[in-house]
């Protein structure tokens, strides 16, 4: 079951729940902590969370900065830390990378455990420290494909395994996004989305109308998967905060808040190949 949710509604749900209880180079995930040797136990955490940030040229510098700041501020927020402590272990494992083309992913934060204010502060500082970059093309499928082994090969065992993708346009490079999505779902990985819709759609940046529908029907999936849409620049950080707290707390929008689809539609409301078609129409290849 998948849901879309407004920022205000999601924020209210979080509060209630807590009260009650181009290419700059491809960076392989080699910097991640080593996987335990055979016979060693995986370290228990509540969530294995991959944060995948769009740095394609359609994202302006202000958006890129707001995206970074939004994640850094969310991780040290009171609501995030309360959600963290509400889980069985009080710990989550997090990694973050930037993505653009199908072969362009750069690891920003190797796997690290957040278990309280001190570790949250350290992760937030690392997020803000890494220089902002931009790169060519938009490959959501490449981001998902990069994230899968990050989850499969890390030394943690989470009750939930989540890929959190933020982006401002449809897939236009690499394999079809639905193929990558389905590969992740087959492994029991949940994909949530943060579609960024703060600018008017433009042919020059290959934007589309109804990016939120595209994310809902073509990108996200898995039990309780959801989308939080950013439609106003001044709500950028609030949306990131809302989504991150919901993921850590294991919360999803209540039934019939803003229903999207209970199953993947036979005919998506926005073609899942719309980005590839726009690219081909524009460049003839």
């Amino acid at each position: 079951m998948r849901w879309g949710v407004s920022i205000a509604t999601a924020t209210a749900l979080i509060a209630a729940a807590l009260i009650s209880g181009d290419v700059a180079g491809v960076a392989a995930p080699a910097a991640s902590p080593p996987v335990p040797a055979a016979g060693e136990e995986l370290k228990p955490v509540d969530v294995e969370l991959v944060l995948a940030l769009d740095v394609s040229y359609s994202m302006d510098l202000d958006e890129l900065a707001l995206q970074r700041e939004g994640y850094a501020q969310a991780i040290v927020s009171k609501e995030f830390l309360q959600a963290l402590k509400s889980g069985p272990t009080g710990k989550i494992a997090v990694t973050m990378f930037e993505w653009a083309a199908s072969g362009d992913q750069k690891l920003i934060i190797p796997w690290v455990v957040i278990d309280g204010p001190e570790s949250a502060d350290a992760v937030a500082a690392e997020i803000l420290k890494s220089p902002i970059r931009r790169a060519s093309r938009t490959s959501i499928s490449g981001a998902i494909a990069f994230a899968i082994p990050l989850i499969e090969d890390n030394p943690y065992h989470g009750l939930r395994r989540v890929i959190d993708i933020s982006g401002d346009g449809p897939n236009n490079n690499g394999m079809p996004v639905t193929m990558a999505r389905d590969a992740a779902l087959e492994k029991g990985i949940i994909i949530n989305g943060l579609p960024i819709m703060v600018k008017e759609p433009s042919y020059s940046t290959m934007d589309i109308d109804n990016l939120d529908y595209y994310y809902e029907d073509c990108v996200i999936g898995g039990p309780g998967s959801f989308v939080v849409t950013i439609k106003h620049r001044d709500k950028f950080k609030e949306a990131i905060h809302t989504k991150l707290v919901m993921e850590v707390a294991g919360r999803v929008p209540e039934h019939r808040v803003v229903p999207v689809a209970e199953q993947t539609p036979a005919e998506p409301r926005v073609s899942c190949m719309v980005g590839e078609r726009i690219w081909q129409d524009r460049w003839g290849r």
Side-chain angles (χ1 to χ4, degrees):
M1 184 175 292
R2 302 173 297 131
W3 304 104
V5 60
S6 68
I7 298 170
T9 300
T11 302
L13 287 169
I14 292 166
L18 292 178
I19 289 171
S20 66
D22 79 278
V23 177
V26 178
S32 298
V35 178
E40 287 188 37
E41 291 188 5
L42 297 174
K43 302 169 187 176
V45 293
D46 296 324
V47 189
E48 298 168 50
L49 180 60
V50 178
L51 303 175
L53 281 59
D54 182 5
V55 294
S56 60
Y57 277 117
S58 57
M59 294 277 289
D60 62 43
L61 291 174
D62 186 41
E63 289 172 339
L64 293 173
L66 286 171
Q67 183 172 233
R68 288 285 192 89
E69 291 167 10
Y71 279 105
Q73 291 178 13
I75 284 172
V76 299
S77 70
K78 176 183 177 181
E79 294 81 8
F80 177 89
L81 295 172
Q82 287 177 335
L84 183 70
K85 288 305 178 184
S86 71
T89 72
K91 303 176 183 179
I92 66 166
V94 179
T95 186
M96 174 183 283
F97 70 89
E98 299 172 334
W99 59 272
S102 61
D104 183 5
Q105 298 87 25
K106 180 181 179 183
L107 200 65
I108 300 301
I109 305 292
W111 282 108
V112 61
V113 170
I114 300 178
D115 57 4
E118 186 174 331
S119 53
D121 287 344
V123 171
E126 285 298 316
I127 292 173
L128 295 175
K129 184 191 303 183
S130 181
I132 291 175
R133 73 184 184 102
R134 300 168 78 193
S136 299
R137 305 296 295 266
T138 299
S139 183
I140 300 171
S141 60
I144 295 172
F146 185 80
I148 291 173
L150 285 177
I151 288 178
E152 291 283 282
D153 300 334
N154 71 57
Y156 305 102
H157 175 71
L159 301 177
R160 290 175 289 118
R161 306 193 298 171
V162 180
I163 301 172
D164 175 335
I165 296 184
S166 62
D168 70 343
N171 194 77
N172 64 36
N173 181 242
M175 76 175 82
V177 67
T178 51
M179 289 180 60
R181 176 200 64 193
D182 293 348
L185 300 188
E186 287 177 3
K187 295 180 178 294
I189 297 171
I190 298 165
I191 303 174
N192 293 329
L194 189 75
I196 301 167
M197 304 170 65
V198 299
K199 298 191 295 283
E200 287 295 322
S202 168
Y203 178 78
S204 63
T205 54
M206 301 183 64
D207 300 327
I208 64 169
D209 293 315
N210 300 318
L211 182 64
D212 47 353
Y213 291 173
Y214 175 87
Y215 262 71
E216 289 162 3
D217 294 352
C218 306
V219 178
I220 71 167
S225 59
F226 64 91
V227 160
V228 174
T229 304
I230 306 176
K231 292 189 176 182
H232 302 282
R233 196 174 292 265
D234 61 353
K235 298 293 185 181
F236 211 109
K237 294 180 183 179
E238 181 182 344
I240 292 173
H241 174 272
T242 294
K243 182 163 173 288
L244 194 57
V245 173
M246 289 181 71
E247 286 166 336
V248 172
R251 303 293 176 182
V252 296
E254 301 241 351
H255 188 61
R256 296 302 175 193
V257 172
V258 186
V260 173
E262 299 193 2
Q263 301 179 37
T264 301
E267 291 293 334
R269 292 164 290 178
V270 177
S271 169
C272 295
M273 295 294 290
V274 63
E276 288 86 347
R277 291 171 185 167
I278 293 173
W279 183 271
Q280 186 174 37
D281 289 345
R282 182 173 179 182
W283 298 106
R285 62 178 187 272

